[in-house]
Amino acid sequence: MARREAPAAGPGSRALIVDVIRSAASISRVELAGLTGLTQPSISNIVRDLIADGIIHEVGSADSVRGKPRKLIAIKPANRFGIGFHLGPDTLTCVAVDLTGGVVGREVVPRPPADQLAGQFDDFTAGLDLPRGRIEGLAIVAPTPYPSGAPSEDLHTLRATLTERLGLPVMVENDAAAAALGEFWSRRVSREQAFGCIYLGTGIGAGFVFGGALFRGASFDAGELGHMSIAYDGRECPCGNQGCVERYASMAAVVADASVPVNGTSLSSAYDTVARAAVTGDATAFQILDRAAGHLAVAATSMVNLLDLGRVVLTGPGAALAGSIYARRLRTHLERTAHSRRRHPVLVELSAQPRDAASIGAAALVVQAAVAPGHTPGPAS
Ligand SMILES: [Zn+2]
């Protein structure tokens, strides 16, 4: 990690310190000063406040070069919790995470009508025996509706109603952005890393975390990877462009290429049928997914080059069964084509919980807003 210019201690310093402790797992005050460039007195004050607030705790000592043991500090996981709800087409996934992003509870229920979400929140948190005073809030994620860039008006109305009813902060976010923040938080990615996430869901989305904060763009529409064109005169797309990668590499494109009937079944189960066949030896199914992955790799290279990303995580329901096919294509393509390949590697990793990534990320958004504020959540939160 590069040493920073000595910043003045302020609200951003607290977020910086939480972020550095989180990504280091455990760290001494001396190392914190070295990594943040903040002065020892600033570090001591902020660390004391964070301990008093129950966000971090001392976890033991490490030997120092001069013989005096250094006390190590770490995030205190089980003291506060964030709740994430992911609204799928038919289901609602509810997740609770602790301050490290670790999942402490999960439930999938048939999607209730909007006016029953508050009741579902009460049932879910009561079932986990989470005291209300330790819950930092709720974030609700859904796919970005086309053509609006921002989460829909309905979600904003829902957010206002729920904030009032629950008496807690309620945020809304799109699935890909939330998933990126969740992977960033739980993988302990350093805030120095240019981090990206590709979310294979209903469409293809991307999320970016720069300097520890989600990058949202001018109108919360950053990360529309699915509508990056890979062919000047390619397939027509409802967005108005041609050759959008979503028309070649999304779950819907794979199902269409495989001619799997979707009648009476959901898109995701039709896709899973193809993905399961591909990873268990069906040559035709494998070719269809491998070709989709090849198309995605072309778009991924453009994304990596535009933003000089150092690490990309593949996630979302489309990466659950066939993620290895996509990851292999992306790795080999980036090794050959990434503009930065001689300066630094571009890591491509698979999410450990691709189906739950958006709900886990939603809960992580709540945790980050609570313990490392100052990441400009913006108008949607
Ligand atoms: Zn498009």
Side-chain angles (χ1 to χ4, degrees), residues 226-227 237-241 244:
H227 297 284
C237 181
C239 78
N241 206 349
C244 293

Side-chain angles (χ1 to χ4, degrees), residues 259-271:
S259 309
V260 180
V262 185
N263 303 343
T265 166
S266 71
L267 169 65
S268 70
S269 60
Y271 173 85

